[in-house]
Amino acid sequence: MHVPTLPSGIHPIGNYRVQPDPQSGAYTIQVQCAGQWHPVHMVHPEEQAWLLGLLQSPFPTVQGGWLVAARSPLP
């Protein structure tokens, strides 16, 4: 899962939102970093369940544009 609108670096995710897409029947997912909402791009729609699990981990982070589950809070 990729967040191409964020600059390179490490960004903690403050929040996320899931909205249904009436055209495709799938969901659009956005993450909030530094007070702004950024769309998450998935390769396959079936990655949605995995992505939601990652976003519910204790320290979800965007590193270099990619979503990861960090082991501890960012310094």
Side-chain angles (χ1 to χ4, degrees):
M1 278 80 37
H2 188 55
V3 184
T5 58
L6 276 170
S8 63
I10 300 173
H11 307 277
I13 295 174
N15 206 349
Y16 69 93
R17 62 183 172 195
V18 180
Q19 297 176 324
D21 181 3
Q23 294 178 346
S24 68
Y27 291 93
T28 59
I29 300 173
Q30 296 179 323
V31 295
Q32 186 180 35
C33 296
Q36 295 184 344
W37 290 99
H38 301 274
V40 176
H41 295 275
M42 294 174 282
V43 177
H44 303 287
E46 57 270 4
E47 292 178 338
Q48 289 178 2
W50 188 86
L51 172 60
L52 291 174
L54 184 140
L55 290 170
Q56 293 173 10
S57 68
F59 308 107
T61 305
V62 178
Q63 293 184 6
W66 297 96
L67 287 166
V68 297
R71 292 184 179 184
S72 61
L74 296 174

